[in-house]
Amino acid sequence: MQLIVSKKNFFLILNYEGGEIMSSAEEISKQILYMICELDDYKLIGAELSELRPHYTEIMWGAVGDLIRVWFEEQFKEGGRFHGSKPNIFEIMNVLDFNMQVYEFAGENAMLKKFSIQFELANIYSDQGGLGRKFELYETIVSESYPLIKKRDTEDKMHYYFTRSLNRLAELTQYWKGKEESVPLWKRLAEYAQDSSVNEKKSILNVV
């Protein structure tokens, strides 16, 4: 596979010689990392990932997701391309963002990994420069994790990401949009707590 950047349009083109595509998670993850590090075009990278998606199974995408961050961190260690320097916050956010998208390609089996990265990414976004995105990330976790909850206790990671994201969403809404706007969110969290384990019920109600 060759990576070609058009000199005319500066568009990334993945050229599959002979109709062949990358055959291993290592190749795919390195290619994605290359795009993230070298291209300053969020939409273009997203489009390229969408084009790649149907060529691989959910299992393969899960393996790719597991490697993206590993390869990124390796670049800053001895022998790595960026050895001696540290990744800036924007590079980290981009890696997390596309890593999250890759885990979404991996389906239900990778949902916990997706939520873990998504929650981390939402926490990193600043209220000043990325408030809209911050809201979006928390809202998505809340809506997607709730149907997957099996036990209302911290033993169930879906419960953990649902309650913590809903809590952050309520706090952000109250701070930026006013107490009245946040009431439905606090109410939902309080009602949910009623059927949670004793410790979780107490923990949740303490913040409502």
Side-chain angles (χ1 to χ4, degrees), residues 107-167:
E108 286 190 14
N109 290 332
M111 287 298 281
L112 275 178
K113 293 176 180 179
K114 171 182 175 290
F115 290 147
S116 175
I117 290 178
Q118 192 166 349
F119 189 73
E120 181 181 356
L121 184 60
N123 290 339
I124 292 175
Y125 265 102
S126 71
D127 289 9
Q128 290 71 32
L131 187 61
R133 180 66 167 149
K134 198 178 188 79
F135 267 103
E136 178 188 347
L137 290 167
Y138 285 130
E139 287 169 349
T140 302
I141 295 174
V142 168
S143 64
E144 292 183 354
S145 62
Y146 180 73
L148 302 175
I149 296 171
K150 296 179 180 179
K151 185 178 181 181
R152 298 193 179 195
D153 189 84
T154 51
E155 293 177 7
D156 188 330
K157 290 299 183 181
M158 294 300 178
H159 160 88
Y160 175 87
Y161 289 120
F162 170 77
T163 54
R164 275 55 181 179
S165 296
L166 183 55
N167 180 26

Side-chain angles (χ1 to χ4, degrees), residues 153-195:
D153 189 84
T154 51
E155 293 177 7
D156 188 330
K157 290 299 183 181
M158 294 300 178
H159 160 88
Y160 175 87
Y161 289 120
F162 170 77
T163 54
R164 275 55 181 179
S165 296
L166 183 55
N167 180 26
R168 289 294 293 124
L169 197 55
E171 289 175 340
L172 285 170
T173 301
Q174 182 170 323
Y175 185 84
W176 290 103
K177 299 181 180 181
K179 188 172 182 179
E180 186 175 343
E181 286 287 323
S182 69
V183 168
L185 298 171
W186 289 121
K187 183 179 179 181
R188 183 180 182 186
L189 189 58
E191 290 176 347
Y192 176 89
Q194 299 306 316
D195 294 321

Side-chain angles (χ1 to χ4, degrees), residues 28-43:
I28 304 167
S29 59
K30 286 180 180 179
Q31 181 67 53
I32 292 172
L33 183 58
Y34 174 88
M35 290 192 288
I36 294 172
C37 292
E38 298 296 331
L39 299 176
D40 186 21
D41 193 325
Y42 182 91
K43 289 184 178 180

